[in-house]
Amino acid sequence: MAAAGGELFLRARGRTLNAFREDKEYEWKGPFYFIQGADPQFGLMKAWAIGDCDNGGDEWGEEIKLTEQAVRAINKLNPKPKFFVLCGDLIHGMPGSQWRTDQEQDLKKVLKNTDQDIPLVFVSGNHDIGNTPTRETIDTYCKHWGDDYFSFWVGGVFFLVLNSQLYFDSSKCPELKQAQDVWLNGQLAVAEKHKCKHIIVFQHIPLFLRKPDEENDYFNLEKSVRQEIMEKFHKAGVKAVFSGHYHRNAGGSYRGLEMVVSSAIGCQLGEDQHGLRVVAVTAEKIVHRYYSLNELSSQGIDKDLVDMLAKQN
């Protein structure tokens, strides 16, 4: 059954996600899974094909079909995922661009068909709030998609959604980066107090693509910023960071912190297929697997993952 109304897209309010009752979710209740997607980015496929990523995104029929396929595949899954998180670059049109409103409306039309029992979780990307965000671009995003950073609990696991653009370039809104930093420190203290089973982070830009000490790149965070965040996450016991942005699958680890970079629902910039990541959470570990949309549509989740979810621990 499809969910209706604008509230579907505005569940992240007051720095939390109102799809889950926090006081009911502090306790571990057994294994579960969620779906991670990234970069539907309506408009990029045409822009990339014609070699004009700044002005060329005037068609997005392919992205509509791919996102429709993703929603159908998710709706068929049994058991149902706890939620579906989209890790940024929801659309290609940058703030102020001419195609942006139509791209947002068309994406929402597709996402409205997601099973109403599978909450949508949105993460802001650089195309959603701009490479150098401002208070205005962030406010506009929040009016359409909910808070740009927030936390929520599911079954004893603590999830953090971050605005990674504030780490990439906060030169036009330094006070907003500072506010997120203060909030994040407070949230990590809350996680410690409640003795959560795992801490998992969602952000658009990866900390790194393959190695923690790799050189600065358009697709990762600057080295000194990256190091500070990695150390903070390591000390807090964060298990994994899930990102998009790269339009390819990648990843690595830093002192027990796993960096998971997922390819896109939309435009591919490498050799991967349009797809989604299935993330299973058990008491001991986090197991994830990337599926092409065709695989997930036709076969569903692999039996070993289903068996893992069936174990009560």
Side-chain angles (χ1 to χ4, degrees):
M1 187 185 292
E7 69 180 48
L8 172 70
F9 304 106
L10 297 173
R11 283 180 164 145
R13 281 285 184 252
R15 302 298 177 204
T16 191
L17 189 75
N18 66 21
F20 300 101
R21 277 275 305 274
E22 194 168 283
D23 58 333
K24 302 278 190 185
E25 297 292 343
Y26 286 138
E27 299 297 318
W28 175 253
K29 299 171 185 171
F32 64 89
Y33 81 104
F34 62 87
I35 301 294
Q36 183 218 5
D39 301 274
Q41 204 161 341
F42 281 25
L44 177 59
M45 292 177 79
K46 167 75 180 294
W48 187 260
I50 66 173
D52 186 359
C53 285
D54 291 333
N55 305 301
D58 62 340
E59 293 176 15
W60 47 92
E62 282 301 306
E63 287 95 339
I64 288 175
K65 290 176 186 173
L66 290 162
T67 310
E68 286 175 339
Q69 185 181 5
V71 167
R72 286 195 302 269
I74 291 168
N75 286 348
K76 281 168 59 178
L77 294 173
N78 185 27
K80 291 178 183 179
K82 284 286 188 181
F83 59 86
F84 172 28
V85 57
L86 273 171
C87 281
D89 280 3
L90 307 175
I91 56 172
H92 183 61
M94 286 281 192
S97 64
Q98 59 180 322
W99 316 115
R100 185 178 176 89
T101 300
D102 289 342
Q103 289 170 356
E104 282 188 334
Q105 288 176 348
D106 285 350
L107 177 58
K108 286 183 175 182
K109 280 179 194 170
V110 176
L111 294 177
K112 275 181 183 175
N113 293 314
T114 307
D115 187 312
Q116 66 177 359
D117 294 326
I118 305 172
L120 295 166
V121 180
F122 299 107
V123 182
S124 62
N126 57 304
H127 282 263
D128 304 312
I129 60 174
N131 284 319
T132 305
T134 65
R135 182 177 287 276
E136 182 182 22
T137 64
I138 291 173
D139 284 350
T140 300
Y141 168 86
C142 293
K143 283 173 188 166
H144 289 278
W145 302 102
D147 286 352
D148 58 324
Y149 60 90
F150 55 95
S151 65
F152 60 100
W153 290 80
V154 176
V157 178
F158 192 46
F159 292 92
L160 291 159
V161 172
L162 298 181
N163 179 344
S164 55
Q165 275 329 108
L166 295 176
Y167 297 122
F168 186 81
D169 184 357
S170 63
S171 58
K172 291 186 177 176
C173 54
E175 73 286 358
L176 297 184
K177 177 191 180 294
Q178 184 180 8
Q180 178 173 250
D181 286 342
V182 170
W183 173 88
L184 177 58
N185 290 339
Q187 293 299 299
L188 294 174
V190 166
E192 183 178 19
K193 175 187 168 190
H194 284 283
K195 300 287 186 270
C196 59
K197 191 65 76 172
H198 305 292
I199 306 172
I200 296 173
V201 172
F202 301 121
Q203 60 186 56
H204 179 61
I205 302 178
L207 297 170
F208 57 89
L209 299 175
R210 291 186 173 84
K211 295 181 179 178
D213 60 350
E214 69 195 19
E215 291 305 311
N216 298 338
D217 188 280
Y218 172 76
F219 290 109
N220 62 23
L221 290 181
E222 192 272 328
K223 266 186 171 182
S224 63
V225 174
R226 179 196 320 165
Q227 186 63 36
E228 182 181 339
I229 297 171
M230 290 189 304
E231 266 304 298
K232 179 182 290 191
F233 286 174
H234 166 68
K235 286 175 182 172
V238 175
K239 281 279 180 64
V241 177
F242 289 87
S243 294
H245 191 50
Y246 192 43
H247 294 255
R248 286 152 281 202
N249 287 309
S253 63
Y254 172 82
R255 301 180 70 186
L257 167 69
E258 186 176 11
M259 181 67 245
V260 184
V261 185
S262 294
S263 197
I265 293 171
C267 188
Q268 299 299 309
L269 302 185
E271 302 303 314
D272 296 295
Q273 300 292 310
H274 308 280
L276 295 164
R277 191 172 296 277
V278 174
V279 186
V281 183
T282 74
E284 297 83 27
K285 59 188 177 180
I286 296 160
V287 180
H288 53 87
R289 201 164 294 165
Y290 186 85
Y291 291 82
S292 74
L293 295 181
N294 289 336
E295 287 172 334
L296 199 61
S297 299
S298 61
Q299 301 164 25
I301 301 171
D302 292 329
K303 185 177 183 302
D304 64 317
L305 287 182
V306 174
D307 290 346
M308 190 184 299
L309 294 166
K311 291 178 183 174
Q312 290 303 311
N313 58 359

